[in-house]
Amino acid sequence: QVHLTESGGGLVQAGGSLRISCVVSGRIYSSTAMGWFRQAPGKEREFVAHVRWGAGTTYYANSVKGRFTISRDKAENQVHLQMNSLKPEDTAVYYCAEDRGGNGDYDYWGQGTQVTVSS
């Protein structure tokens, strides 16, 4: 059974930084992609970033490119999202997700962590 547990959310002022993390239970395969998504009130969930577990290659949504950095810690089975230059529009619940086969289908999801950016 796979469990994803996010942490590190909170309240930050615009322009500030926050780092959120996701601990993944169970084995992670080299083909796996670990992703971050977010959902703001009244909006659909949107993709933020992903990292391929084996190669470490990353991909970002245009809205966060240059401000957010996704990384993985293979030894600790963790995925991090460093968020800099935060904007009020980054306010959302952030979810960690696992795409086991690396084919774009996210099979497992965490419970989410709230990030609130005040203006």
Side-chain angles (χ1 to χ4, degrees), residues 43 63 91 94 103 105 112:
K43 294 188 176 181
S63 58
T91 295
Y94 283 71
N103 57 7
D105 294 327

Side-chain angles (χ1 to χ4, degrees), residues 30-84:
S30 59
S31 60
T32 294
M34 295 300 304
W36 285 100
F37 291 75
R38 67 186 182 186
Q39 187 167 20
K43 294 188 176 181
E44 292 189 354
R45 185 170 58 198
E46 64 175 357
F47 169 82
V48 175
H50 81 219
V51 58
R52 295 204 175 272
W53 197 256
T57 52
T58 58
Y59 184 79
Y60 297 91
N62 286 336
S63 58
V64 306
K65 200 174 294 184
R67 300 188 298 123
F68 290 11
T69 302
I70 189 171
S71 62
R72 84 246 196 267
D73 182 335
K74 286 188 167 183
E76 299 292 331
N77 261 25
Q78 293 188 23
V79 183
H80 308 288
L81 187 68
Q82 177 67 42
M83 303 181 289
N84 298 329

Side-chain angles (χ1 to χ4, degrees), residues 13-16 63 67-68 84-91 117-118:
Q13 287 190 332
S63 58
R67 300 188 298 123
F68 290 11
N84 298 329
S85 302
L86 282 161
K87 306 174 182 180
E89 51 264 42
D90 293 318
T91 295
V117 185
S118 63

Side-chain angles (χ1 to χ4, degrees), residues 103-116:
N103 57 7
D105 294 327
Y106 285 84
D107 311 285
Y108 302 98
W109 295 82
Q111 82 288 349
T113 186
Q114 176 71 46
V115 172
T116 303

